[in-house]
Amino acid sequence: MRFMTNHRFVDHVSINELRRMTNLAPISSIIRSRVLKLYGHIKRSEAGLSKIALEGMIEGKCSKGRQCKRWRDNVHEWSGCNINELNTITQDRSFWRGVSHVCAHSAAGRESEP
């Protein structure tokens, strides 16, 4: 963005100001939007390695300490729905597109605040 606006780092222009000048969305909202779209795409697919990897369970013992955050946990957190609701919502493609769009843009609104 600094290259697009012709501001150098030593000019002390904040990233929020540069984002306002260029009208670009925060990168995290773009990532959330793409993750949610991919999640819906995988859940609507019949069967395949990606669906098995998303829904599959791995045998063995859990490691000590805090559990790792899974991809599905992020989708659950961002959408505000439980896993059963997500399974039914993703089957309706147009509704899921709206949900993923709203979730991504609500994340962008939270980031712009200091």
Side-chain angles (χ1 to χ4, degrees), residues 24-37 104-105 107-108 111:
L24 291 177
I27 190 74
S28 62
S29 67
I30 295 170
I31 291 171
R32 285 180 193 220
S33 174
R34 290 184 182 181
V35 166
L36 290 170
K37 286 178 184 178
H105 287 309
E111 278 187 6

Side-chain angles (χ1 to χ4, degrees), residues 87-105:
N87 289 337
T88 57
I89 290 173
T90 54
Q91 297 308 313
D92 183 5
R93 186 169 188 261
S94 61
F95 186 69
W96 180 249
R97 284 185 77 170
V99 168
S100 63
H101 182 75
V102 167
C103 293
H105 287 309

Side-chain angles (χ1 to χ4, degrees), residues 41-69:
H41 178 73
I42 292 171
K43 292 300 282 187
R44 281 189 303 275
S45 67
E46 292 298 321
L49 290 177
S50 57
K51 192 164 188 174
I52 292 169
L54 181 66
E55 296 175 348
M57 300 295 290
I58 299 172
E59 294 180 12
K61 296 174 111 179
C62 295
S63 60
K64 292 182 178 181
R66 186 178 67 173
Q67 292 295 317
C68 295
K69 195 166 209 176

